[in-house]
Amino acid sequence: HDDHLEKRSQPGAPQPNPVDLSPLTWGDVNIIHTTDTHGWLSGHTKEASYSADFGDFSSFLYHMRQQANHRRKDLLVVDSGDLHDGNGLGDASPVNGQYTRPIYQKINYDALAIGNHELYVNDVAENTYRDFAPGWGKRYLTSNVFIKDSHTNKTVPIGNLYNKFRLKFGTRVMSYGFLYNFKGAANNTVVEPSNFTVTLPWFQKSLKEDVDMYLIVGHVPIRWAEATAVVKAIRAAHPSKPIVVLGGHLHVRDFTVYDNRAFGLSSGRFMETLGWMSVDGIKDRACRVETNCIGKNLTVTRRYLDSNVYTYKKHSLAHPRQKFDTWKGRSITKEIFKVRKTLNLSNTIGCAPQDYYLARYPYTDARSLLNLVANEVLPTAVVNASRPYPGVVIVNSGSQRFDLFKGPFTLDDTYIVSPFHNDFIFATVPYKVASKMLAALNGAPFQKRADEALPAYATNATLTPGYVTKDDYGYGGDDWKHSTIPYVPSPNYISSPLPTGLAETDLVDIVWLSFFTNLVEPILKKLDPATTYTSGIYRRDVDTNSMLLNFVKAKWSNTTC
Ligand SMILES: Nc1ccn([C@@H]2O[C@H](COP(=O)(O)O)[C@@H](O)[C@H]2O)c(=O)n1
Ligand SMILES: [Zn+2]
Ligand SMILES: [Zn+2]
């Protein structure tokens, strides 16, 4: 299944009735948006709906730009960050992102923002600053993200604070790049709150430039205060200038209306979705006097495209028999294929006996990935049987990122399910303390603010399961009509089973991930104020990523698919 050039004709590849996809609406300015791609440049090798790779994406962009020229409409291609952590292509290399960064660089994005996954690790932040940002010139936008330059010791923006540019058919754009108020950034970086950034002289000065629209590229959820603060700051100076926010981070499809001339779009995750937005009315000459257009509607459409070659061809080709693959697209696909080979990403380690889903079923259900992790992976691959005390291992459910499908389990899947190299830390505590830790953690503040509860949708047996999105325009934004996939929220932390038959004072190793040590230590103090516990690395031979590899080798390697 690794031959990307052939995969489009695989059985099960999407073959909808051509009338199912209605043509895109074009406006004065049109936007193609990616976010939270997390290195999924190979596309989804196990899911036909999302099987386009970055070579296909490049070919799609070529045809879309041709179409824009033909229509004499402006087209912007934008990315909202989180390029690292999530796929073997980016994470299995000796240096994280060493093969993916040059491939991203081949896509001619007009504007990009930085994500939190470019900032967890000092080296990744440094490489983003040195090897990635410069290649984009002024298009890599970090209005509120800085790095301490290791050569000069000066703290400088990782990319550009803002960029004013003119599109081919005349639209003058002022662009910014904002990251949400991320608290876990590496110590060589600084993230400034966006509500402070917008008060700074450089930002206020930029608002005096004469432009036709504002583009906020953000690794920011479009409904969060960090996004609305920027919209409000622009609106305070410009009562009717069109504002577009292209956000991300929550991994959802979403669209919001801030006012009748300001809109936000969020385009999912993992190269499942290309967001499309068209804005008409930007070129309205009467609006050059801003007060003329206060309250005047812009005509805006949004669409969430499933990222597969059928979708790409359907929307980009002028004629169905026109050749789709461009030379550049094919060469990107070949490069991806070569990197996958170099990194042995398709090497099969074992065979998964069934599908395990991250969020389709309650975590107590046998089809839940979190259930598998809590009850099988942690006891098998993490608990250290040679320790004098039983172990209870707690992980954050956010450390698990994607479904695990029945059939061949590859090296790539270890990164897809959990790309992180978080260490297991432990302290030896009485059972009465250990037994209260999970509940205490789940009562602790969320690491990620909760998504809005999703409404329940009717299922429809004639449609393939996929995204069914409700946003500020209601339903109808999804390009492909799908039956809904159930979404069941899970606790923030899950644990291996507690040992049974112990007295309150019996000792237990309580084990957690380095990612949330800052939460565990105060809880230990609260649960047992009289004692100071010493913590250390529980096992040096296993981390969040390798635990699944070890589990599969131990339990699934003898099964055949
Ligand atoms: N070392 C890490 C880093 C992150 N996480 C988890 O990822 C979440 C953030 O991911 P986004 O793609 O939404 O930005 C974070 O909240 C953690 O759950 C982790 O487990 N270990
Ligand atoms: Zn992300
Ligand atoms: Zn993020």
Side-chain angles (χ1 to χ4, degrees), residues 35-38 81-85 116-117 219 248-251 268-270 401 448:
T35 187
D36 295 271
T37 53
H38 288 282
D82 267 7
L83 311 185
H84 297 86
D85 304 334
N116 49 307
H117 284 269
H219 194 76
H249 182 60
L250 286 184
H251 294 187
R269 60 165 195 183
F270 304 156
R401 306 277 286 182
K448 189 163 177 171

Side-chain angles (χ1 to χ4, degrees), residues 316-534:
S316 71
L317 295 183
H319 188 281
R321 277 190 293 279
Q322 194 184 345
K323 186 170 162 285
F324 175 75
D325 290 317
T326 60
W327 179 88
K328 182 178 169 188
R330 285 186 82 88
S331 83
I332 292 174
T333 296
K334 280 184 187 152
E335 183 176 347
I336 291 169
F337 186 47
K338 209 169 131 197
V339 175
R340 289 184 63 86
K341 269 224 141 70
T342 308
L343 297 174
N344 297 319
L345 294 184
S346 296
N347 277 15
T348 300
I349 297 152
C351 183
Q354 61 168 83
D355 292 331
Y356 294 94
Y357 295 103
L358 193 56
R360 270 187 209 195
Y361 302 104
Y363 84 103
T364 46
D365 191 290
R367 293 162 294 182
S368 154
L369 175 75
L370 297 179
N371 186 305
L372 176 80
V373 169
N375 294 309
E376 299 197 44
V377 179
L378 297 177
T380 308
V382 182
V383 171
N384 184 349
S386 64
R387 289 273 312 155
Y389 311 112
V392 179
V393 189
I394 300 179
V395 298
N396 58 314
S397 46
S399 66
Q400 307 303 302
R401 306 277 286 182
F402 199 66
D403 302 335
L404 193 170
F405 297 122
K406 180 178 176 171
F409 181 92
T410 63
L411 182 65
D412 199 14
D413 291 319
T414 69
Y415 294 93
I416 284 172
V417 175
S418 188
F420 306 117
H421 296 291
N422 300 326
D423 289 323
F424 286 97
I425 314 291
F426 84 110
T428 305
V429 303
Y431 175 76
K432 68 167 187 246
V433 173
S435 59
K436 291 184 188 127
M437 182 54 82
L438 182 65
L441 274 168
N442 277 322
F446 277 43
Q447 290 169 57
K448 189 163 177 171
R449 280 164 269 184
D451 306 351
E452 260 182 60
L454 295 173
Y457 307 104
T459 50
N460 181 334
T462 62
L463 301 173
T464 53
Y467 283 96
V468 180
T469 310
K470 186 173 181 231
D471 58 25
D472 279 9
Y473 277 178
Y475 293 98
D478 299 297
D479 194 38
W480 284 59
K481 304 294 165 250
H482 288 294
S483 63
T484 191
I485 294 177
Y487 171 81
V488 182
S490 47
N492 274 2
Y493 299 88
I494 54 166
S495 164
S496 63
L498 279 175
T500 49
L502 296 189
E504 298 264 281
T505 50
D506 285 345
L507 292 178
V508 171
D509 286 334
I510 183 86
V511 185
W512 65 90
L513 289 171
S514 51
F515 185 65
F516 55 91
T517 290
N518 61 329
L519 298 182
V520 172
E521 282 174 350
I523 292 174
L524 279 176
K525 192 105 229 105
K526 204 166 159 198
L527 291 175
D528 188 3
T531 319
T532 305
Y533 295 106
T534 16

Side-chain angles (χ1 to χ4, degrees), residues 26 28-33 61 65 68 73-79 108-111 165-167 171 173 175 213-215 244 246 275-277 282:
W26 288 70
D28 294 332
V29 173
N30 306 279
I31 301 166
I32 294 169
H33 180 222
L61 292 181
R65 287 201 193 274
K73 302 283 186 194
D74 279 323
L75 178 65
L76 276 164
V77 184
V78 177
D79 180 77
N108 44 359
Y109 283 112
D110 298 290
F165 60 101
R166 183 188 282 269
L167 291 168
T171 314
V173 182
S175 58
M213 69 176 283
Y214 287 91
L215 176 72
V244 169
L246 297 169
W276 170 262
M277 192 173 185
I282 290 182

